[in-house]
Amino acid sequence: LPGLHIFAIAFALEVSVGKTNVVMALNNSNILLPCTFTTCIGFQDLVFTWYFNSTELIYHGKIKNKATEPTLIWHNPRVEFVGSTTKKDNNISIVLNNVEFSDAGKYTCHVKNPRERNAQHNATIFLTVVHKMVETDNTVTLIIVGVVGGLIGLLILFMLIKRVVLFIIKKTQDGKKECLVSSSGNDNTENGLAGSKAEQKAPPKA
């Protein structure tokens, strides 16, 4: 039924290796290979395995229930379990010790949960091994950010200057208008122009 199918999807097992599935390790160093799983209905006798390049088993563990930590079944001597399943995130991460160039490749974290009708899910990490870590040169990026920031600053300064200049011009024009109105009123009164007080006097009698 469609409803049951949606219900099954909602409670499906999920496995994750984090935000990125690409990691880089320095030769002869130790590297963390993260992995967590989630299941809404819990788990019972859950089995998890780590594979190298899909076929080579490097870690095999089993978890009885949420209240217990994983039990080791088998592991490569250079692989160490560093997770915990009694906490919230159900962490089944491992550490690969003394990394060699031959360790570069694909690492798959696989989980099987019998409580979900043997539901299975996996996630993959790609490991790159290098002779030395190369620092990223951010000079070009910094130059671009500096130039863009400078242009934005100049634009803001130009807008401020423009507003100040427009404000001063407006004030100057308003002042000139007031002077013109005042001057026009004085001229009409003194020179006896049409509409002035001088024109309202009665003519002298003969």
Side-chain angles (χ1 to χ4, degrees):
L1 295 176
L4 292 176
H5 180 66
I6 294 173
F7 180 81
I9 293 176
F11 289 94
L13 176 70
E14 290 188 7
V15 179
S16 173
V17 293
K19 294 181 180 179
T20 177
N21 67 338
V22 179
V23 295
M24 184 178 293
L26 188 65
N27 187 37
N28 293 323
S29 68
N30 302 332
I31 184 68
L32 172 69
L33 300 177
C35 183
T36 59
F37 68 88
T38 57
T39 170
C40 295
I41 62 174
F43 57 88
Q44 186 77 33
D45 295 325
L46 181 142
V47 176
F48 67 97
T49 50
W50 277 91
Y51 292 98
F52 174 56
N53 287 337
S54 302
T55 56
E56 183 181 340
L57 179 66
I58 60 174
Y59 195 96
H60 188 194
K62 186 175 183 179
I63 314 169
K64 184 176 179 59
N65 52 50
K66 182 65 179 176
T68 61
E69 292 290 354
T71 301
L72 171 65
I73 298 176
W74 184 89
H75 76 115
N76 183 295
R78 290 196 297 125
V79 175
E80 177 185 359
F81 181 79
V82 293
S84 175
T85 52
T86 56
K87 298 178 181 179
K88 183 179 180 180
D89 56 356
N90 290 328
N91 191 333
I92 50 175
S93 303
I94 59 173
V95 168
L96 179 60
N97 296 311
N98 301 319
V99 173
E100 303 172 355
F101 289 108
S102 59
D103 293 324
K106 181 174 70 173
Y107 290 81
T108 303
C109 177
H110 181 271
V111 178
K112 179 180 179 181
N113 187 15
R115 189 169 180 178
E116 292 184 83
R117 295 185 178 182
N118 289 321
Q120 302 181 51
H121 197 252
N122 62 67
T124 301
I125 299 175
F126 294 92
L127 173 65
T128 301
V129 182
V130 296
H131 179 66
K132 67 177 182 177
M133 294 294 185
V134 179
E135 294 184 2
T136 303
D137 187 1
N138 295 323
T139 304
V140 176
T141 303
L142 292 174
I143 292 174
I144 294 174
V145 171
V147 171
V148 173
L151 291 174
I152 293 174
L154 287 174
L155 180 61
I156 293 173
L157 180 61
F158 173 77
M159 295 298 293
L160 288 174
I161 294 174
K162 181 180 178 182
R163 294 193 66 174
V164 171
V165 171
L166 290 175
F167 177 78
I168 293 172
I169 292 173
K170 185 175 184 301
K171 284 294 184 182
T172 303
Q173 290 178 344
D174 291 343
K176 287 182 178 180
K177 288 180 181 179
E178 291 178 0
C179 290
L180 289 173
V181 171
S182 176
S183 175
S184 176
N186 291 335
D187 290 345
N188 287 343
T189 303
E190 294 173 358
N191 298 330
L193 297 178
S196 67
K197 291 182 179 179
E199 211 174 45
Q200 294 175 4
K201 292 181 180 180
K205 293 182 179 180

